[in-house]
Amino acid sequence: MPVPRTCAIALALLTALSAHAASPLDKLRSAAGEQLGAGSSGGAAGMLGGLGLPSIGSGTASNAAGVLQYCIERKYLAGGAAGIKDKLLGKIGLGGGKETQDKGYQSGLSGMLSGSDGKSFDMGKLQDQLKDKACEYVLDNAKSLI
């Protein structure tokens, strides 16, 4: 009965390979967590919860607008992001250049994301692939504030 024996060998091989494949993935997750853990604090945000991104609320809208500008200037966001940023600034009364006087906006321009819970996150500590996702997170939250 060679077929069952072949299946058993194939199953054993697949099990061994999947166990081996999980190890590098676990190491990658662990390394990402260690890299991000030093510069992050609290908060959970969908699939980015592991990054420790703070929650964004109406009290931190000017900072979110600044972070959007940070992301746009570094080409992590394109197209409609500038319009969302401008609408957000207009809604909170900081359009037309007034945003340059706002501390939250200025902090956002430097890549520091401040959360409504008082926690902050330095976008500069992320690698490019994660910055894309973090910028999308800020954009999605900014849309919800408009």
Side-chain angles (χ1 to χ4, degrees), residues 27-48:
K27 288 180 183 179
L28 179 61
R29 285 182 183 149
S30 176
E34 288 173 14
Q35 177 191 3
L36 299 172
S40 65
S41 57
M47 70 182 244
L48 295 173

Side-chain angles (χ1 to χ4, degrees), residues 30-111:
S30 176
E34 288 173 14
Q35 177 191 3
L36 299 172
S40 65
S41 57
M47 70 182 244
L48 295 173
L51 295 180
L53 295 175
S55 60
I56 299 172
S58 60
T60 58
S62 67
N63 174 258
V67 171
L68 287 177
Q69 185 61 37
Y70 167 90
C71 293
I72 292 165
E73 288 174 358
R74 287 155 183 82
K75 300 190 187 327
Y76 295 112
L77 292 174
I84 299 297
K85 178 202 66 158
D86 292 341
K87 286 180 184 178
L88 183 57
L89 287 172
K91 182 173 182 179
I92 59 174
L94 290 177
K98 295 177 188 173
E99 71 274 8
T100 60
Q101 304 300 317
D102 184 83
K103 289 181 183 180
Y105 183 82
Q106 292 300 318
S107 178
L109 284 178
S110 70

Side-chain angles (χ1 to χ4, degrees), residues 106-124:
Q106 292 300 318
S107 178
L109 284 178
S110 70
M112 187 60 67
L113 177 61
S114 300
S116 55
D117 54 4
K119 297 177 181 177
S120 61
F121 184 88
D122 185 355
M123 302 278 282

